[in-house]
Amino acid sequence: EGCRVNKKIQNIIKQNFKMLLLTMPGERVMDPAFGCGIKHALFEQFSSSTYSKIKQTIKSQTAKYIPPIDIISIDFDTSKSDRNQLGITIKYKVTAIGLTDFLDLVVG
């Protein structure tokens, strides 16, 4: 039973994290600052400064809205950038429940 509860919590955390990443700032009427707005990056030239800006946005939004998540790493799949897609893998942990997981996203 405890294993099922942990899996459910893991799925809820992952879904909330994904929602934060994919939401555009201004989309949530009651909290217009919520969201990373990653899709905006698709209209920029992919460069190290673009990736750095995306990383910083993800880290600051996560710290503000989902503070139990500690981001371990954020990696970009640059092979998709020529097709106006952005591949992101984020490895994170939630120390309070002993969880380490990752989230793979392709934004496009």
Side-chain angles (χ1 to χ4, degrees):
E1 181 104 15
C3 188
R4 274 204 335 249
V5 170
N6 281 347
K7 191 68 174 166
K8 196 173 202 174
I9 290 170
Q10 180 180 357
N11 290 339
I12 290 168
I13 289 169
K14 187 176 260 188
Q15 187 59 39
N16 287 344
F17 193 22
K18 189 175 179 179
M19 188 78 61
L20 176 67
L21 296 170
L22 295 177
T23 300
M24 300 296 274
E27 242 182 287
R28 281 210 173 160
V29 177
M30 299 304 278
D31 191 353
F34 180 89
C36 292
I38 292 175
K39 285 190 177 189
H40 281 304
L42 296 175
F43 303 105
E44 295 182 27
Q45 185 70 24
F46 290 118
S47 67
S48 59
S49 66
T50 304
Y51 295 129
S52 182
K53 191 164 64 171
I54 294 168
K55 281 184 181 184
Q56 185 53 45
T57 299
I58 291 171
K59 288 178 180 180
S60 65
Q61 285 282 306
T62 303
K64 181 176 180 179
Y65 290 102
I66 316 175
I69 289 180
D70 292 318
I71 294 175
I72 298 168
S73 64
I74 301 172
D75 296 304
F76 298 95
D77 179 358
T78 55
S79 69
K80 296 181 183 342
S81 62
D82 61 342
R83 294 180 292 197
N84 290 331
Q85 292 183 325
L86 181 61
I88 305 173
T89 300
I90 304 171
K91 186 173 180 185
Y92 62 94
K93 66 180 177 179
V94 182
T95 306
I97 60 171
L99 167 71
T100 300
D101 201 356
F102 69 94
L103 181 61
D104 274 327
L105 284 177
V106 176
V107 182

